[in-house]
Every structure is written in C-alpha cells, then in structure tokens.
Amino acid sequence: MNTTELRVPGIGRWSAEDILRQPIVKKVAGDEDAAFCSPAEAGLRAPGPAEVSLEAYHWGSLSGGKATRTLSLVLLLPFMLSNTAIWMLPPAPATSAALARAICRLLAATLTVMYVLSVVGVAVDLVAWQCAGDPRCTANRWAMSWLADVQPGQRAALAALVPIAAVGAVWWLGRHSWQMPGHASATPAPEGADASRLDAAEFWDNRALLRRLTLLHVAIALGTVDVVLLRVVAPHDGRTLGFGLLALTVIVLGAAVALLCRPEHPHDGADRRIASAVRAVWVAMLAVTASTLGYAALPRSQWHPGAELPGYESLAAWLYVTQAVLMLLLAVIVVRQRSRLTSPAFLGGLGAPVVVAFAVGFGVAFSSALLYAASYHLDRNLEPRPRRLLPTGVPPLLPPVAYRWAALGFFLAVAVTTLAVLLDSQLTLRRRRRSAAEILRRDFPDAPPERQPRVRKTRDAIVRAQLTDRSWPLLSRTPSYSC
C-alpha cells in the first residue's frame, strides 16, 4: 500500500521548498492561497519504508498577510467561534439536538445584537446624546459641534444611520463571499438519496442557508437599532404611534428569532418554502426601520434630555443576562448528551458551550474596549468612571456599567483558567516526566549515549503534550463567563 507523508507547517511564511527541503517543487493540487506540493525530483521519498512519498501543504497567504487583515480576523473571532461551536455538539436524539442547535443560533444572534449595541453606544449614546448635548464636549470639535443645534430625537435618528451603515457593510461582505469560487455550483441540486453524497458538490453548497441566516441576522440587527430609538422617543411623546411601532418591531424580531431557530433541511422541498417567510420578515424589518427613523426625526419641542440615553443601559444588561441563561441551558443539554459519546471528543464533549462562552467573552471584551476607548477620547482623555466627580469644564460621559461588569467577569474567568492550568502543570510535572521516560524506554530501549540530548528533548516534548491533554478537561470544567 502506498503511503504519503503530508507535512503541514505552523503559522508563518513557510514556502513549499522550505517544508520539503528541496530547491524545486511542483504543485499537485490547489491554488495560490493553499496548495499541495511534492518534490519535482521523481522518486524522492521520506525516510522509512520505500512506499512512503513526500508532500507538503502550503498555506500560502492563509496564515499571514497585512495587518488590516489580521485585525479584521481578530475582530471577527467571536463570530467565527460561534459558527464553529454548533458543529461541536455531541450526538443526541432529534429533539435534543434541535434544541441545542437552536440555542447555538440564538447565542450567535446575541453576538449580532452585541455588535450593534456597541456601535449604537458610540454613535447614538456617547456622541449624539451625551456629547452633543453638552457644549463643553462639542467645543473645538467641528465634526460634531453642529449636532448641538439639532433636537435630541433628530440627533438620535441621524446617529442611528452609523450602526445601520455598519450592518450594511457586514451584509455586503457576506454577499461578496457567496460569489467566491468555493460557493459556485453549475449543476442542479440533486434530490433524494443522492443529495447526501459527500462527493456531490451540492452537499457542500450552503449558499441557501447562508442567505437565510444572513437576512435574519440583518433583520435582528436593524430591529435592535429600532428598539433603541423607539425607547428614546416613544416614552417622551406618549403617543400610540410610537408604542405601536415599538410593538411591531418586537413582533418582527420575534418572527426572525423563531425562523432562526427552525431546523434547516436544505435539500427538502418543503423546507425551501421557508425562504419566502425569511424574505418577508426582512422586508418588514426594512419598512419598520424606515418608519422608525422617520418617526424619530419628527420635530419636537420642550425636550430636556438627561445625561444618559434612555433604556440603553437596561438593554445591554438584559442582553448579558440572556446570554448567561442561554449558555447555562446549552451546558445542561450538552452534559446530558455526553453519555452518548462512544469515542473521545474535543473538551470531553463540552466543546460547544466552552467555545460559545469564549465567543461571548471576546465579544464582551471588544464591545467594552470600543465604548470605553470612545468615552476616553470624548472625555478629554480622562479615565471614564461611572458616576465620578468631574473637574470643571469636562463633560460627564458615562458608558453603561453593564459593560464594565461583563468585561470584568470575562477577564476574571480567563485569569482563573490560566492560574489553574499553571498550577496543574507544576503539581503534575514529576509524574508526567516519569510517564514520558517510561514511554521512551519502551519505544527506544537501546538509545546510545550520544543520543541522550535528543532523548531528553523528546521527553520534554512528551511532557508538554501531556500537559495539553490534561488542560482540555480542566478548561471544560472552568467557568468561562459571568455577568
């Protein structure tokens, strides 16, 4: 039997020639981004049996690139983790599996809401509401000084265009990814048993599901902006129109959430009818958003706004409470499903709740950093502290306290996890060294004296690998996020 030794490098700008240690290589498959390469010299093989040949997987620009690309990947890390978590769920009965997947989808939706609320916090709360309402903050700032002459409701409506534009930008990026060659399909989708074949291109074609999820997330994002605006202007007006728009927004949001939790069957003809419902919800949310912006932009008299954006802090707090409850429910469901595992699984079968928790934690950290950095800049480079005593002439910018507590909980969990891993590594070091030495004596019983430095390096590598194996169950038992 012929065997191929595949060499995959770590992160860095490794060339295929460096990986194979050959001056000339040839491409076996792939493109400029990622490719499989082999030595151009015929007959070159790896040390060992004669049937083993060499190949290298060249990452290309996937493991490197410009700083802007790296930064964008870091900022998108919460969303990438949440997308990965749903594939880490252990096997379970249909009802339990559908519930776990629905919770993962809801947690992903809360990340979208968190993203929108952070942009709303900067544009609407800090800039248009707090800073624009205080002459001391707008002094010598031509870009926002004109907002001081605009009524509060109209300022909020104008600033709401910023998070709406941010949602539109993310939506455009999502639509652009569908046009990539990996999502192209020129053949009609098969039906029946052939639709589930791994060698069928349609099995990997997830464009329909991506469109559905993207439209729903866009609707949820726009609904979040609408709720923020309506909670500002509706109580002030006390009119039926404002509260009616708020109720309609909540209804459309509920429909989007319900469709988001519905199990998908991409190759089921009956399930394809749900696409019309998704588009209807999206169109309805667009109409509600336009109506909300128009209603908030109406002129109003005798409005003396307070220091903080009404309702914004409570929305952020309830978002974190909802995330904590959903993660707890997901953990309970996954723990009950672990008994069905027949083989070792990532993080002992708890990969989904752990990865989701880190996704939420990173989202909290990024959102808090954005809000407090903006507050720090607008506050004349003074450290923002809730309810602090301010010097004369400094505007009292107050980011919601919920962001501070949520970020503190995440960083505390990371610190506790790191400390637990370090403590475990020291307490088990002697035992892991004995186990590694036993493995080396069994695998290399006759190692000559001149090879002892190499033997010690191998032993240390085994010791580090054993620590990694021990850390996964430790991480899966460590609380990861708390508000």
Side-chain angles (χ1 to χ4, degrees), residues 130 307-308 313 384-390 396-401:
Q130 297 191 46
E308 301 176 12
E313 183 169 0
R385 297 176 183 173
R387 307 299 188 273
R388 71 186 185 277
L389 296 177
L390 296 171
L397 298 184
L398 303 173
V401 182

Side-chain angles (χ1 to χ4, degrees), residues 437-448 452 455:
E438 181 62 29
I439 292 174
L440 288 175
R441 282 194 296 267
R442 183 177 63 251
D443 294 344
F444 306 100
D446 301 323
Q452 290 305 313
V455 171

Side-chain angles (χ1 to χ4, degrees), residues 248-442:
L248 182 59
T249 302
V250 173
I251 292 174
V252 179
L253 276 174
V257 170
L259 290 172
L260 192 68
C261 297
R262 189 182 186 278
E264 74 281 357
H265 303 285
H267 302 293
D268 188 352
D271 188 77
R272 294 174 186 174
R273 292 195 299 267
I274 207 68
S276 59
V278 171
R279 184 166 292 275
V281 167
W282 176 70
V283 172
M285 188 59 77
L286 289 180
V288 170
T289 301
S291 302
T292 299
L293 290 174
Y295 176 69
L298 293 176
R300 294 171 177 84
S301 59
Q302 298 180 353
W303 191 344
H304 302 285
E308 301 176 12
L309 187 68
Y312 178 68
E313 183 169 0
S314 61
L315 282 176
W318 277 110
L319 171 65
Y320 295 138
V321 171
T322 301
Q323 289 175 331
V325 172
L326 289 175
M327 285 189 291
L328 180 61
L329 290 176
L330 180 63
V332 171
I333 294 173
V334 171
V335 167
R336 295 182 60 183
Q337 295 175 357
R338 292 177 66 192
S339 60
R340 303 175 62 89
L341 292 175
T342 57
S343 60
F346 181 69
L347 292 178
L350 295 177
V354 171
V355 171
V356 165
F358 274 100
V360 172
F362 283 123
V364 169
F366 295 160
S367 300
S368 302
L370 176 63
L371 275 171
Y372 278 95
S375 175
Y376 186 80
H377 171 71
L378 295 173
D379 226 3
R380 310 293 183 180
N381 295 333
L382 290 178
E383 182 183 359
R385 297 176 183 173
R387 307 299 188 273
R388 71 186 185 277
L389 296 177
L390 296 171
T392 304
V394 178
L397 298 184
L398 303 173
V401 182
Y403 283 98
R404 178 181 290 267
W405 286 108
L408 178 63
F410 171 68
F411 285 115
L412 181 62
V414 172
V416 171
T417 302
T418 303
L419 180 62
V421 171
L422 292 177
L423 182 62
D424 180 74
S425 66
Q426 294 300 317
L427 293 178
T428 62
L429 179 59
R430 183 175 299 178
R431 178 155 49 89
R432 285 185 287 114
R433 282 181 174 175
R434 288 199 302 267
S435 175
E438 181 62 29
I439 292 174
L440 288 175
R441 282 194 296 267
R442 183 177 63 251

Side-chain angles (χ1 to χ4, degrees), residues 20 61 64-65 118 134 240 347 349-350 352 421 431:
L20 295 174
S61 59
S118 62
D134 194 322
T240 305
L347 292 178
L350 295 177
V421 171
R431 178 155 49 89

Side-chain angles (χ1 to χ4, degrees), residues 32-227:
E32 64 276 4
D33 292 326
F36 291 92
C37 303
S38 64
E41 180 182 350
L44 185 63
R45 289 179 169 81
E51 295 81 6
V52 178
S53 58
L54 278 177
E55 281 193 12
Y57 179 68
H58 182 220
W59 290 65
S61 59
L62 296 181
S63 61
K66 299 180 180 179
T68 54
R69 176 178 178 179
T70 303
L71 179 61
S72 64
L73 291 177
V74 171
L75 294 179
L76 292 176
L77 181 60
F79 300 97
M80 291 187 289
L81 290 176
S82 65
N83 291 335
T84 305
I86 198 170
W87 299 100
M88 296 182 177
L89 295 171
T95 303
S96 181
L99 180 58
R101 292 175 67 85
I103 293 176
C104 288
R105 293 272 171 81
L106 289 177
L107 284 166
T110 62
L111 288 176
T112 298
V113 175
M114 184 189 302
Y115 166 75
V116 175
L117 282 182
S118 62
V119 182
V120 167
V122 174
V124 181
D125 183 20
L126 294 180
V127 175
W129 193 265
Q130 297 191 46
C131 187
D134 194 322
R136 298 170 297 180
C137 182
T138 57
N140 301 323
R141 286 173 171 163
W142 62 270
M144 64 181 66
S145 59
W146 61 276
L147 288 173
D149 299 327
V150 182
Q151 294 179 353
Q154 295 173 334
R155 291 202 309 258
L158 286 173
L161 296 176
V162 176
I164 291 176
V167 173
V170 175
W171 182 31
W172 179 84
L173 290 175
R175 288 178 59 87
H176 179 69
S177 67
W178 300 340
Q179 302 172 4
M180 297 176 64
H183 293 290
S185 178
T187 59
E191 297 184 4
D194 291 338
S196 301
R197 290 176 58 91
L198 292 178
D199 58 351
E202 293 76 16
F203 182 87
W204 307 99
D205 187 2
N206 59 351
R207 286 176 296 174
L209 179 60
L210 282 177
R211 291 191 185 98
R212 168 178 154 184
L213 295 178
T214 301
L215 290 179
L216 292 175
H217 277 264
V218 169
I220 292 172
L222 294 178
T224 303
V225 179
D226 297 341
V227 169

